[in-house]
Amino acid sequence: MGVTPDKRKPEHAPDAYSPHSKRAKLSGDWPLIQVHIVVQAIPNGSRRLKSWQTGLAKHGATVVQAVDRRTRVTHMVAGDECAEKLPLTPGQIQRRHIQVVAPEWLEECLAQGCKVDEEKYRIHLEYCCNSETSEEEVSLQSMQGKPAADDTASSQPGRLFKYRRWLGHWKPEYDYIRTETELALHAIYSEDISERIGNEPVVQALKELMKYEMAMLVSDDNDDKASVRTEAGSRSTHDNSLVYSRAAAMVRACQFKIDDTLQPEEIPFCGEATANKIKDIARSGTTSVLEAHRANEVVCDSSGKPRADTGGGATRRLFMQLPGVGAKTAKIWYDLGYRTYEDLDGAIDEGDVRSEGGRLPISYEQAFSLQHRADLLEALPASDLTDMQAAVTEALQHVTGDGEWEMIVVGGGRRSLPSHDGDFVITHPTRTTEGVVRLLVQRLVDQKRLVPAKQAMCRISEGRMPAHLDHMREHVVHGTTMNNNNIAVDRFDKVFGMFMTKSGKVRRMDLIITPHEEYPFCLLGWTGSKQYLRFLRQHAGNCNMYLNSHRLMRREGQQSCVIPQEGAPYDRNGKVWWPPGWGEGRVVMDEGDIMELLGVPRREPHERNCP
């Protein structure tokens, strides 16, 4: 039970909060504090109350049982969405300088044996002061994306404070974030940080599950072209691979060490089934589903029923690593009894199996990838990237007579990750890019730096740019883009091909050519990562905007608006606003500008490594 403050204490008595008082000396350097625990506002609060009271008493603190206008209290411990359960109004709490903190603050104090800083654990109550907020303050909050007093309960802030420990910090403005998607964009996705915390083994297991599930995605339109991505973030099908991708991202961003005590509500996007898989991996390094995939066995769903067409996960994933091989072909090969690359080699050696009646259906592109798999599946050294840049730059200068072309590495290479291929975005600061791609390809083929079509994969996309803005405007006006079903579709001129290095190695090379005015959007889209782009584009959709690798747009009546050239963006409440530093006349210069227009933090490429 708590100790009630002695009201008979004279005014000149030693300050109860002084570290020089007798009780303070009993508990070391922890100043005496007086805590009221709002049990009804804390999940499992009654069960946890006794241990908290014991711990506080051990350190000489006071637990205040009842609070009125005269009771002295320094801290109130409560959960989020606690305003209606507090014994004082937000205005009274503010005037008395009482700090309202989450239970994690109390537990951290007891764990460390000292009073820790409250900032990371503070629950901000500004949003509860409807009757005490001026019209000017409400207007400012709305401009900053904060809900006004008359917003619905579903948009009340503070709901996501439960993820503070996952995020590792908390700022007052986060109280007004309404979706887990937006909160996810405030995290940092770094493989190095995840490794230091100890969560990267869990991330890698979830990534492996994701890749197995991608190999299971077979449909009538899932042919071999599916293996040639149109940009980072290419998959949009709502399937198990996306569940694992999102879970892996959340674990990589997690700022505490995950173990088998994890609860679903501790990290975003984590349901009970996903949490159980994460706990299994944290405890043993694997799961039954993962082991079934690795053994080429049929996988069962959460109810124990076998999932159709899920056998052969390991083999089908192996085949899909070859450029030009999609999930559909991988399944066909597996169903025909092939299990290894050597099995495929043997089938080709039997004769021209690509002809009509051949047992192994395989294209020239796939046969070339199979033959050169040793080169194509090894990590790309920096020297080969340099070789590619030099060859392409020379070819561009030769066919255009212009030496001002800009070429930058994108994809995993730009995010400081090992890569099996070279991805590049190409632009020019002043001239048009139309008609360049065919000339570029022919020059590279003539120089024997690009393997020609009919021998290997050499796919060209061109001529779709002139009408692309009108195409996007039409879709934005009719609302057919807002569901993000085709988040990867772009209309840039592109080349997907096989590059011959000076040392005689075969390397996969993708070139994307963009007009300079769309360069930042193209760079963002092709740098990735895939899951980071899903978060970014879904957040834009939640704000009633549309983002792709060409532009950021919104609908205005029966017209479309290109942001920022034709108008301001929307905030999270669907209201027009300009972020700090923005206004009419400013243009997008880099990827960070796009993030600012979406109201999320700038993130460097290596901080976007969502798996």
Side-chain angles (χ1 to χ4, degrees), residues 76 91 105-106 112 137 162 170 228 262 322 338 341 356 377 403 428 481 488 491 517 519 563-564 579 583 600 611:
M76 288 186 183
W105 172 81
L106 184 53
Q112 295 191 23
E137 288 171 329
K162 59 187 177 182
W170 199 259
V228 180
L262 178 73
L322 293 175
Y338 300 109
Y341 293 139
E356 186 176 353
L377 298 182
H428 194 284
T481 58
R491 302 170 73 88
E517 63 268 21
Y519 179 58
I563 301 167
V600 299

Side-chain angles (χ1 to χ4, degrees), residues 307-380:
R307 289 170 48 198
D309 294 326
T310 57
T315 297
R316 291 157 68 178
R317 177 192 170 197
L318 176 74
F319 291 159
M320 284 183 63
Q321 293 178 25
L322 293 175
V325 178
K328 184 176 180 179
T329 294
K331 184 178 185 300
I332 291 173
W333 291 353
Y334 178 80
D335 290 343
L336 287 171
Y338 300 109
R339 296 294 181 267
T340 65
Y341 293 139
E342 289 71 25
D343 289 345
L344 299 176
D345 289 335
I348 292 178
D349 290 342
E350 293 175 2
D352 187 7
V353 296
R354 288 160 288 178
S355 62
E356 186 176 353
R359 184 167 184 268
L360 175 65
I362 188 169
S363 68
Y364 283 98
E365 294 179 354
Q366 295 161 352
F368 183 91
S369 296
L370 180 65
Q371 180 183 355
H372 295 278
R373 62 182 178 272
D375 292 348
L376 294 170
L377 298 182
E378 69 179 3
L380 195 70

Side-chain angles (χ1 to χ4, degrees), residues 405-418:
W405 289 93
E406 300 173 7
M407 182 175 178
I408 186 171
V409 176
V410 290
R414 187 162 182 254
R415 303 197 313 273
S416 304
L417 295 180

Side-chain angles (χ1 to χ4, degrees), residues 404-406 408 424-436 461 463-469 472 490-494 511-524 526 549-551 565 588-589:
E404 295 187 17
W405 289 93
E406 300 173 7
I408 186 171
F424 300 91
V425 164
I426 298 169
T427 192
H428 194 284
T430 56
R431 66 166 290 156
T432 179
T433 59
E434 292 181 28
V436 172
S461 175
R464 304 177 67 204
M465 284 295 291
H468 80 289
L469 187 55
M472 287 189 294
D490 69 44
R491 302 170 73 88
F492 297 117
D493 290 350
K494 296 182 281 286
L511 306 176
I512 303 92
I513 305 176
T514 175
H516 203 260
E517 63 268 21
E518 296 185 0
Y519 179 58
F521 294 92
C522 181
L523 201 59
L524 177 64
W526 279 88
S549 289
H550 293 283
R551 306 276 178 156
Q565 293 94 321
V588 173
M589 298 298 295

